[in-house]
Amino acid sequence: AARDIKRGERLIAEPPLLTIDRSLCQTSDQFEQLLGAAVENLQAPKRALFDSLHNAKVVDQGCPLAAVLGIFSTNSTLIDESTGLAGIFATISRFNHSCVPNVKA
């Protein structure tokens, strides 16, 4: 950083491309359906941003949602730990970071 960052200081504010409430899903199939629908419903510019994000997961050619699941798994950020609400953020996803959080919002 070019200057000291104060504890609790906001570094960035960005609206999510999409959010998923994991508490609505009892099974992985339900999660896949919810995520697939959320991505399908994105407007074209947001879908292009979503599709441009890195996918660090091995793509299973037999799963039609493999790329979407990989992008979500690679880039999602937990918004609310108590509910399991997670989001995808176009800019925040590109930060060089540790996947083990060491700061709180």
Side-chain angles (χ1 to χ4, degrees), residues 18-30:
L18 64 87
T19 58
I20 298 292
D21 185 348
R22 291 178 179 257
S23 70
L24 300 175
C25 307
Q26 300 297 318
T27 66
S28 60
D29 286 342
Q30 287 176 335

Side-chain angles (χ1 to χ4, degrees), residues 10 13 18 20 26 28 32-33 36 39 41 43 45 55-56 60-62 67 70-72 78 82-83 101-103 105:
R10 179 179 291 186
L18 64 87
I20 298 292
Q26 300 297 318
S28 60
E32 289 179 16
Q33 290 175 353
V39 172
N41 288 327
Q43 294 178 352
N55 178 357
D60 175 2
Q61 298 300 330
I71 291 170
F72 186 84
L78 191 59
S82 66
T83 65
N102 60 4
V103 296

Side-chain angles (χ1 to χ4, degrees), residues 58-99:
V58 176
V59 176
D60 175 2
Q61 298 300 330
C63 176
L65 289 176
V68 167
L69 291 166
I71 291 170
F72 186 84
S73 177
T74 302
N75 297 285
S76 63
T77 300
L78 191 59
I79 297 170
D80 186 338
E81 198 170 328
S82 66
T83 65
L85 183 66
I88 295 286
F89 300 85
T91 301
I92 293 171
S93 293
R94 291 180 166 86
F95 282 2
N96 187 11
H97 68 285
S98 168
C99 289

Side-chain angles (χ1 to χ4, degrees), residues 17 38-50:
L17 294 175
V39 172
E40 283 297 317
N41 288 327
L42 289 173
Q43 294 178 352
K46 286 186 176 184
R47 177 62 190 258
L49 283 171
F50 179 89

